[in-house]
Amino acid sequence: MLRFFNINDSMNSLVHRKILKEILIASILVIIFFFGVLRQVDLPGFYMDSVNPDYMAAQYINQEIPNAAWRMPTEFFPILGNYYHGVQNFYVDLVVFKFLGISAASVRIAQALFGALIVACLYLGTVLATRNRLIAFLAAVLLATDIAFLASFRTQFYIILGGEAWLFASLVALWRGGRLGYLLSGLFFGLAIYGYFVLGFFGPALMIFLLSRPDRRIPHWVAGLALGMLPYVVGYASFIIAAGGVSQAIETMRQAIGGLAPMSSKLSFWGNLNHVLQMAILAVTNVGNELMIFNEGIGGRWSGIKVWMFVGVFVGAALLVAVRFRHRPALLLAVLLPPSYIGVASVFGSRLWVHHLSVLVPIGYLLIAVAFGGIVRGRLAAVAAVAVAAVMVVGNVRQASHFHERLAATGGVGKASNALSRLAEDALTEPDTLYVFPEWGFFMPFNLLTANRVPYVLDPAQIDRANCRCGRVVLAFWAETDVKKYVEALTEKGLQNVETRVYAQRDGRPAFHVAEGRF
C-alpha cells in the first residue's frame, strides 16, 4: 500500500512539474510579446474606434459628469457593444484601470492582454496537437515579434483580435480532447463570436473537423457553443426590453444595420473574393495598420516575403493533408481555417475591410506551427528550424524598427495623431472649460484619457452657460476650411474673443484645429 502511494505521489509530482514548465514557457512568450507592446506604448494617438467600448469603463468608474456616449440600449448592464460584438474589453478595463489607473499605457496593456492569450494558446495548442515544444515555441516567438500582430493593438483591429483569443482557447480545448475538452471548445468558440461576429467565419472549418473525428462528440461541442452564445441572447433580450418591445427593437436595428448594409457589396463573387484576398494581404503585411496610423503604407521587402511564405506553407500543408488525411487531423483543421474564413468573408465582400482580416495573421503562424511540428524530428531538423526561425525573427524585428521610426517621427497622422492625447492632457490642466466635439473622432479618446472628469457636448447648439457652469469653451475640428463656420457658431452662443489655434503632429503638420472663447 505504501509503495502504491509513493507511485501516485511520484506521478503527481511529474504532472505538476510538466504543468509548471508549460506555464514558465508560456510566460516567457508573453514577456517577449509585451516588449513589443510597451515600446512607445503611448503612440499613436487613439482613433475613435480604437477605444470603443474601452471609454465606457472611464464613464463607469467616474460617474459624476453625465457626458455623452454611444452605446447599445440595455435594461441591465453593458452586454453588447454593438449589434455584432460584445463588451469584453469593458470588463477587462475595469480590472486593469483599478490597478494601473487610466492612461494610454493602461489602455493598451488591457487591450493587449487578449494578444498575450493568443500567443500563449498558440504555444499550448501546438504542443497538444504535435507534441513538438520546440516548433511551438518558435512559432509563438514569431507571432510575438510580428509588427502586423503587435500594431493591431494600437488600432481598431484590437477588438477583433480580442475575439480571436477565444478562438485559440477553443482550439486548445479541442486538441485536449475528451468530453470536457469538446464542451469547452464549443463554449470558447461561442465567446469568440460574442467577441466579434466575424470569428464565426471559422465555423465551417470546425464543423468539418468535428465530423471527421472518429469520436464525434458533436453534441458536447454544440452544447458548449450554445452556452458561449448566451451573452448575445441576454444582450439582445436586454436591448429589446430597453427599446420598449420587439417591434421597436427591430425598427432600431433596421435603421442601424440598413445604414451599414453588410450584404450590399455590388461586386461579383470573384470580385468579392479578390477584395477579401487583397484585404488579407494588407493585414499580413501590416499595411492595414500603417494606413490607420500613417495614412499610407510604409512598405518593406520582408512583409512581401511573409505573404509568399504563408501561401507556400498553406499549399504544402494542404498537399500533405490530401496524402495523409487520417494521420494528421490537427493539420487538417489548421489547413481548413484560412479558406473557411475567406470563403464566408467573400459573401460580405467589399463590406469588410482590413481589420476584419487581421485574424489571419495568428492563423498563419498556427498553420506553420502545426505543419512543421509534425515533421521536424531529430537534432539536425531542430537546428535547421531554429536557424530559419532566427532569420525570420530578424526580419520581424527590422520591420518593427522601421515602423517605430516612423511612429516616433510623426506620433501618428490625422485621426491617429498623438495630438489627441495632448488635447486631453491640456484639458486636465484647464478647469472651468467645456469642450465641444461636433465631428467624428474626438470624444471617445478624450473621454477615456481624461477619465470622464472633463465635461463635453457633441453639438454647438448644446452650449449652455447656465448648465455647464463654465467660463471657457473649446471646440475641436479637423479641417482648416471649417474655421469660419465654428468661430461663428461660438460667437452666436455668446462667446467673446474667439480665437483658433492648431494642434500639430510631431512632424509639424496640422493634426486638427480648436476654436476657443470665453463668456
Side-chain angles (χ1 to χ4, degrees), residues 360-416:
L360 294 180
V361 176
I363 293 297
Y365 286 106
L366 174 70
L367 180 58
I368 290 174
V370 177
F372 286 96
I375 61 178
V376 173
R377 305 293 179 186
R379 179 170 296 182
L380 184 60
V383 171
V386 170
V388 172
V391 172
M392 293 174 65
V393 168
V394 170
N396 282 352
V397 170
R398 290 188 63 180
Q399 185 185 5
S401 295
H402 183 47
F403 171 87
H404 279 281
E405 286 171 5
R406 179 67 67 89
L407 189 59
T410 64
V413 172
K415 292 181 175 64

